[in-house]
Amino acid sequence: MSADRKQVILGAYFPGVNHDTVWSDPASGSHIDFASFEHWARTAERGKLDLLFLAEGLRLRTRGDAIFDQDVVGRPDTFTVLASLAAITEHVGLAGTINSTFNEPYELARKFASLDLLSGGRAAWNVVTSFDAPTGENFRRGGFLAPSQRYERAGETLEAVRRLWDSWGSDAVVADRDGGRFLRDAHVGDFAVQGNQFDIAGRFSTPRSPQGHPVVLQAGESPAGRDFAAKHSDAIFSRYQQFDEARAFYADVKARVAKAGRNPDEVKILPSAAVILGDTEAEARDRHADIRNRQVDPLTSIVLAEMVWNRDLSDVDPDGPVPDLEPTPDAPKWIKGRAPLTQDAHATAEAWRELGRAEGLSLRQVVTKVFDRNVFVGTPGKVAAEIERYVEQEAVDGFILGSHVSPSGLDEVVDRVVPLLQDRGVFRTEYTGTTLRDNLGLEPAERFGEPATS
């Protein structure tokens, strides 16, 4: 691995919570059986990837009053899956998406510290907030918080969790067999946290973990989200994937990190991406067209349009023009369980109509184009070169790779693209560290707050 070339960070997410997954594909396996998660994890570690990433939803997606079963539903609990994967892997990081709105700091701190301990320092927390009232109905407090309060709670939650992690010093456990003394003093784990969201005090029960603080990820997009990520996060799971917009996002967030008094290198920018390969460029393009056709089938195209219109579009022909119907953004939510689109619904609908007229596209074709994710399409050599270009020219620090099928979709990338990145000297050939922070090139957690001297 070349020391003078910027290194690519590669993670992998397990697909299955949105329309990018084609669960009806003959190559797709179970999204529930542990064997699928095991195959995925072993493939990632075989490829020397940095981390595994699990998304999670707290409510099944519905359209009207019915479950939308074009999405995969029924994903097992994140902590259970990651703890199980910790037992069958040795190096790859284990990142879980856990909500800060409906979980308490003590519980969050204990679960992530436990995962970090049991995995030997490989845990990561993707901090997310709740965005809708229907999700809140599943929890005691119900409802949901306004955006400003969600970030306030998320910030206080993260600060409280870090306070609990720091309540154990790295030398708190003495384990003196001869003297009969296990802990260095009687106040290990003491904590007190007060703020607008919390007033808690007690004793944290879990010793300091190998990383001190598990790695913290966040998916900031709004100005408030970007500021939150710049202040609190070790990595950002970005949605900005096209080169120019990715580079602009990268520059903006790195500047915010510096403004927050941190080294910009301490925050890694990691958008998601898919890879579609072919032995020739033509073969890869044909595969891409076929996959997109199955990802955005007629019903899915209607459902994605309904996210803008917020009304039942069952009577609209997906292969006809974008409808002239006006959206009803103030009506009760027709699609529940999906993150809402933040743009103006009326302006978006008109922009879709203009796109359809200008390029002669049907509604389904417009939806396919609008919702197209960053996909590296081409021969293995071309894809490896593109991944290196994004990193070398500071559009990203790396990618979280996904596929339209699980669990085997990652295999092709590991077998055909990763070796080329290794040959280019921009990706490891062996793991050299022991923790996820080592994998990502991050400094020890003490940089974010000295551990308590308990």
Side-chain angles (χ1 to χ4, degrees):
M1 186 168 65
S2 174
D4 59 353
R5 303 187 70 180
K6 187 173 181 182
Q7 297 300 299
V8 174
I9 296 171
L10 290 180
Y13 70 87
F14 192 91
V17 294
N18 55 42
H19 68 277
D20 293 318
T21 300
V22 184
W23 61 262
S24 59
D25 190 298
S28 183
S30 172
H31 291 252
I32 298 172
D33 290 347
F34 180 69
S36 292
F37 294 101
E38 180 179 15
H39 179 104
W40 171 65
R42 290 192 187 279
T43 300
E45 191 153 271
R46 175 165 60 82
K48 315 301 185 214
L49 269 60
D50 294 270
L51 74 155
L52 304 171
F53 180 88
L54 282 181
E56 182 175 73
L58 296 178
R59 182 184 176 107
L60 296 181
R61 288 165 173 161
T62 57
R63 176 179 181 241
D65 294 324
I67 298 297
F68 179 62
D69 57 8
Q70 269 66 18
D71 285 348
V72 172
V73 300
R75 172 69 60 79
D77 172 70
T78 293
F79 278 113
T80 306
V81 173
L82 293 180
S84 300
L85 295 180
I88 62 153
T89 57
E90 296 180 2
H91 300 283
V92 70
L94 305 166
T97 301
I98 302 295
N99 193 288
S100 63
T101 305
F102 302 115
N103 290 287
E104 297 299 318
Y106 187 95
E107 181 181 35
L108 288 166
R110 187 165 185 265
K111 286 184 175 181
F112 275 108
S114 297
L115 180 62
D116 208 43
L117 280 167
L118 295 173
S119 67
R122 294 185 284 135
W125 174 20
N126 180 39
V127 183
V128 296
T129 62
S130 176
F131 57 81
D132 62 349
T135 297
E137 292 170 355
N138 285 338
F139 295 88
R140 173 178 55 83
R141 65 175 52 86
F144 72 109
L145 298 175
S148 61
Q149 291 178 298
R150 292 202 302 269
Y151 281 114
E152 177 184 66
R153 181 180 173 87
E156 287 195 22
T157 297
L158 187 51
E159 290 176 7
V161 166
R162 283 176 164 151
R163 189 85 59 85
L164 270 74
W165 287 335
D166 281 345
S167 68
W168 284 72
S170 57
D171 59 350
V173 177
V174 177
D176 180 1
R177 297 177 187 273
D178 295 333
R181 181 181 176 213
F182 190 77
L183 298 177
R184 188 158 61 85
D185 66 38
H187 295 284
V188 168
D190 284 358
F191 71 89
V193 177
Q194 289 183 314
N196 293 329
Q197 296 289 326
F198 303 107
D199 184 2
I200 55 177
R203 180 165 291 168
F204 188 51
S205 62
T206 309
R208 193 168 182 84
S209 66
Q211 296 189 110
H213 298 172
V215 170
V216 172
L217 301 94
Q218 202 263 337
E221 179 179 340
S222 67
R226 295 184 189 198
D227 285 338
F228 178 89
K231 180 180 179 181
H232 295 287
S233 300
D234 300 305
I236 298 177
F237 190 67
S238 163
R239 76 174 183 86
Y240 293 96
Q241 303 154 330
Q242 301 302 321
F243 184 84
D244 290 340
E245 65 179 11
R247 198 173 188 186
F249 178 79
Y250 185 98
D252 178 74
V253 170
K254 296 286 186 172
R256 291 172 192 259
V257 173
K259 186 177 180 180
R262 301 174 62 193
N263 182 343
D265 289 339
E266 292 177 358
V267 179
K268 308 300 183 181
I269 311 298
L270 305 171
S272 63
V275 172
I276 298 174
L277 301 176
D279 292 332
T280 66
E281 293 296 315
E283 179 185 338
R285 288 193 297 269
D286 288 345
R287 285 189 66 193
H288 181 216
D290 176 64
I291 290 167
R292 291 302 286 146
N293 187 57
R294 287 183 288 154
Q295 286 173 322
V296 187
D297 62 17
L299 177 56
T300 300
S301 67
I302 291 295
V303 171
L304 293 175
E306 288 173 344
M307 292 175 62
V308 175
W309 270 259
N310 193 39
R311 59 190 294 174
D312 185 358
L313 298 180
S314 298
D315 293 335
V316 172
D317 179 5
D319 294 317
V322 178
D324 287 330
L325 298 169
E326 286 303 310
T328 57
D330 297 326
K333 292 299 180 186
W334 175 249
I335 302 293
K336 298 177 182 178
R338 284 183 178 269
L341 299 177
T342 57
Q343 60 263 43
D344 179 88
H346 294 282
T348 301
E350 183 56 33
W352 285 23
R353 284 190 283 264
E354 287 292 331
L355 177 61
R357 288 192 290 263
E359 300 188 16
L361 303 178
S362 67
L363 172 62
R364 183 182 178 192
Q365 291 170 324
V366 168
V367 170
T368 299
K369 188 166 186 174
V370 168
F371 282 87
D372 197 17
R373 297 168 55 249
N374 187 31
V375 181
F376 292 112
V377 179
T379 63
K382 177 185 176 181
V383 169
E386 274 295 280
I387 290 175
E388 181 183 5
R389 180 174 76 95
Y390 269 71
V391 173
E392 181 66 26
Q393 297 187 23
E394 297 189 335
V396 303
D397 291 305
F399 292 96
I400 308 297
L401 302 174
S403 170
H404 72 291
V405 298
S406 61
S408 61
L410 185 63
D411 294 46
E412 193 172 33
V413 179
V414 164
D415 293 335
R416 304 187 67 189
V417 177
V418 168
L420 299 181
L421 293 172
Q422 293 169 331
D423 290 343
R424 289 170 172 266
V426 296
F427 194 71
R428 69 174 64 82
T429 56
E430 295 294 340
Y431 291 104
T432 57
T434 60
T435 70
L436 177 55
R437 288 185 177 275
D438 292 334
N439 289 353
L440 299 176
L442 295 172
E443 295 291 335
E446 284 78 6
R447 290 178 66 93
F448 299 105
E450 292 296 326
T453 56
S454 55

